Amino acid sequence: MLRFASDPTKDMHIGDLRVAIFNYIVARQRGERFVVRIEDIDRTRDVEGKDREILEILHLFGLHPSDVYYQSHNLTIHQHMAIKLLEAREAFACFCTPEALEAEREAAEADGKTYRYGGTCERLTDAEVLANENPFTVRLKKPEKAVEFDDLLQGRRSFSPDEIDSFVIMRADKSPTPDFACAVDDMIHDISLVIRDEDRIGHTPREIHIRDRLGYDKRVEYAHLPPILDETGGKISEGENAFGVKRLVERGFLPEAIANYLIRLGNETPREIFTLEEAIEWFDLKRLSETPAKFDLDELRLLNREHMRRSDPKELSRAFGFADDAVGDLVKQYLEEGSTIEELRPKIEAIFAAKPFEGEWREPMEKLRDVLKNAPLFETFDELEKHLVKETGLEGENLLQPLRLLLTGAQKGPDLSKLYPHLKSYLQEIVK
């Protein structure tokens, strides 16, 4: 089973979406279940409906989970596992106050050393623990030897006992830390492969150590994805709105184009344009580059244009408030002038909006409008043009420029002969 673990206290950004897409693809390739885990164990942070937004985004991108569960629902199991470790002497109660630990950390930094827990409470006797009425956390003892694992992208990784340290697995309020909850939940749900961002790689040896101490002997594979960089070469932050998935969709990028781009990013693909379903046939996680990939908005725009061109006309028209093949095909005529729905919407809205009759073209526009109101429906633009020449006496630029303004509300644009087949059924509404 593969999972997408999501923090419901922040907006989903493209790095999160890439992780979800890869987990979904590999789960489909392996014939395994794909589940979504909402990591809501931090009681100090407000979810504010972000969990629903996360699920809506996944649905929008066609990433349909087999199941959705909330980490907080496993709290009793987390606590039971912590008790098991305490009973086995693999973990211990730590009464060190946050202030004392911070003082130790500052002292280590002042000496130019990496802070490690000093082991103050590790050697307390049962009697000393029972006699202490102060709040306590639960710490897992550091491993006796290095924790090693094979990353599918980064190869063999090794972390020494000191790097892992004796770390907290249960907070003073008796809620689990993210590392402990994650490790236990992956056991509960029989996760076979964890695909996530590279910045989580330091947590992996802790999770492995937790499962080892609990006697879990199933091998869990890992693949840590290199970061996505912004246009300046800096690492994309989860707080950057420009790279939020919701914001990209609002700007008019199609979900299929965004998915196409993220699958191609730092990857070798057999072709440039493809769907998620097509990618499932050939995607190979091990072929991903180990180096960071730079997010290129211009490249995404080009992909978006191609996906709009290939999209079902009726479905495309829905983004503009219609459900009509003709309007979808009309939008496609403007793809040389824009690459996103956000860019093209004003052009389509202008066609169906009231037009100002002013300036040098006012009189010919009025004349054309009067003729068009009573004109029969012509199949081709040539037939329409001949009719207008005959009825108005206008020709050449004196006909085409005011006609363009009347039909599209713009002085420039695609050839009217290409627009007309998609406009003709709305002609009376446009010139009313």
Side-chain angles (χ1 to χ4, degrees):
M1 187 181 302
L2 283 84
R3 47 81 166 172
F4 171 59
S6 183
D7 182 350
T9 63
K10 64 181 182 68
D11 292 329
M12 184 186 291
H13 64 79
I14 56 173
D16 300 323
L17 180 59
R18 180 178 64 163
V19 168
I21 289 172
F22 288 177
N23 275 286
Y24 177 80
I25 289 176
V26 176
R28 287 280 303 277
Q29 289 178 330
R30 294 185 173 192
E32 297 187 37
R33 288 162 56 84
F34 167 69
V35 298
V36 172
R37 181 168 74 213
I38 305 297
E39 298 192 328
D40 61 338
I41 57 171
D42 193 338
R43 300 170 182 173
T44 66
R45 304 172 72 183
D46 190 2
V47 173
E48 294 183 347
K50 290 292 184 184
D51 54 335
R52 292 191 299 274
E53 185 175 292
I54 290 166
L55 297 175
E56 288 170 359
I57 290 174
L58 294 177
H59 178 77
L60 181 65
F61 280 80
L63 308 176
H64 305 297
S66 304
D67 195 11
V68 177
Y69 67 93
Y70 289 75
Q71 200 166 53
S72 59
H73 295 175
N74 288 335
L75 176 60
T76 301
I77 300 175
H78 300 147
Q79 293 173 337
H80 174 76
M81 292 298 180
I83 292 172
K84 181 178 179 180
L85 290 170
L86 285 167
E87 291 174 342
R89 305 292 182 177
E90 299 287 357
F92 58 92
C94 178
F95 296 93
C96 297
T97 65
E99 295 76 16
L101 293 171
E102 183 59 29
E104 289 182 7
R105 185 175 287 104
E106 291 176 354
E109 291 177 355
D111 292 338
K113 298 178 180 178
T114 301
Y115 170 73
R116 306 296 181 200
Y117 175 67
T120 305
C121 299
E122 186 173 347
R123 292 171 291 276
L124 293 178
T125 64
D126 290 344
E128 289 173 318
V129 170
L130 290 173
N132 196 327
E133 297 180 355
N134 293 320
F136 66 91
T137 61
V138 177
R139 287 181 181 269
L140 183 65
K141 294 179 181 178
K142 68 182 181 181
E144 297 179 354
K145 61 181 181 179
V147 172
E148 300 181 335
F149 64 94
D150 292 310
D151 189 281
L152 295 181
L153 296 178
Q154 301 189 19
R156 190 71 171 172
R157 298 300 301 265
S158 178
F159 292 80
S160 70
D162 283 342
E163 288 178 293
I164 299 171
D165 206 5
S166 295
F167 57 93
V168 176
I169 58 173
M170 295 293 288
R171 302 184 180 102
D173 65 359
K174 304 307 175 281
S175 66
T177 59
D179 286 337
F180 190 61
C182 181
V184 172
D185 289 345
D186 284 349
M187 289 170 51
I188 295 171
H189 294 277
D190 194 28
I191 299 301
S192 58
L193 168 62
V194 174
I195 304 172
R196 59 187 179 188
D197 285 333
E198 188 179 75
D199 60 5
R200 295 284 299 170
I201 199 166
H203 298 267
T204 300
R206 290 187 172 193
E207 294 167 13
I208 293 173
H209 180 44
I210 290 167
R211 291 196 297 268
D212 285 346
R213 295 304 89 196
L214 286 170
Y216 187 75
D217 57 7
K218 176 178 176 176
R219 177 174 172 267
V220 179
E221 294 183 289
Y222 284 90
H224 291 88
L225 308 177
I228 300 176
L229 307 180
D230 61 24
E231 295 176 349
T232 67
K235 185 177 177 182
I236 288 178
S237 166
E238 64 186 39
E240 293 182 274
N241 187 48
F243 298 98
V245 177
K246 184 179 178 181
R247 177 58 185 142
L248 287 175
V249 172
E250 289 173 346
R251 290 179 61 182
F253 289 99
L254 300 181
E256 49 266 44
I258 298 173
N260 186 159
Y261 180 73
L262 291 177
I263 294 169
R264 286 191 67 232
L265 195 62
N267 192 9
E268 296 179 23
T269 60
R271 51 186 176 276
E272 184 178 4
I273 312 297
F274 50 82
T275 65
L276 178 63
E277 288 299 314
E278 290 170 344
I280 293 171
E281 298 175 7
W282 46 256
F283 179 81
D284 185 350
L285 188 65
K286 295 180 181 179
R287 297 184 68 180
L288 291 175
S289 172
E290 300 174 22
T291 59
K294 186 176 291 187
F295 186 87
D296 187 335
L297 188 61
D298 289 336
E299 185 176 347
L300 175 57
R301 288 166 59 83
L302 291 175
L303 285 175
N304 199 66
R305 178 181 295 173
E306 289 305 312
H307 276 278
M308 291 182 72
R309 184 171 284 120
R310 298 179 183 205
S311 62
D312 177 78
K314 181 177 288 187
E315 288 303 310
L316 180 60
S317 75
R318 295 185 192 280
F320 298 84
F322 295 84
D324 185 2
D325 288 347
V327 175
D329 288 327
L330 175 64
V331 172
K332 294 182 182 185
Q333 295 299 320
Y334 280 90
L335 285 174
E336 295 306 317
E337 300 186 15
S339 302
T340 68
I341 293 170
E342 182 182 57
E343 294 170 350
L344 296 178
R345 181 174 285 113
K347 300 180 184 296
I348 303 304
E349 289 177 345
I351 292 173
F352 296 94
K355 317 296 193 303
F357 286 69
E358 57 189 17
E360 63 175 312
W361 300 113
R362 180 179 62 82
E363 290 186 10
M365 284 177 69
E366 290 176 343
K367 186 181 293 187
L368 287 167
R369 178 191 59 188
D370 293 341
V371 172
L372 286 170
K373 280 184 177 180
N374 300 302
L377 179 62
F378 295 99
E379 284 300 313
T380 69
F381 181 73
D382 286 344
E383 292 174 317
L384 174 67
E385 186 176 9
K386 289 176 182 179
H387 178 75
L388 294 176
V389 170
K390 178 181 177 181
E391 296 296 322
T392 66
L394 298 171
E395 293 184 279
E397 188 68 14
N398 291 326
L399 169 66
L400 295 177
Q401 187 59 47
L403 182 59
R404 176 179 293 282
L405 288 169
L406 181 62
L407 296 183
T408 71
Q411 294 183 346
K412 298 179 180 179
D415 194 297
L416 288 177
S417 64
K418 294 181 179 179
L419 296 180
Y420 179 72
H422 317 300
L423 287 175
K424 61 185 180 182
S425 61
Y426 291 96
L427 200 56
Q428 293 303 315
E429 178 181 343
I430 292 171
V431 302
K432 65 183 177 182

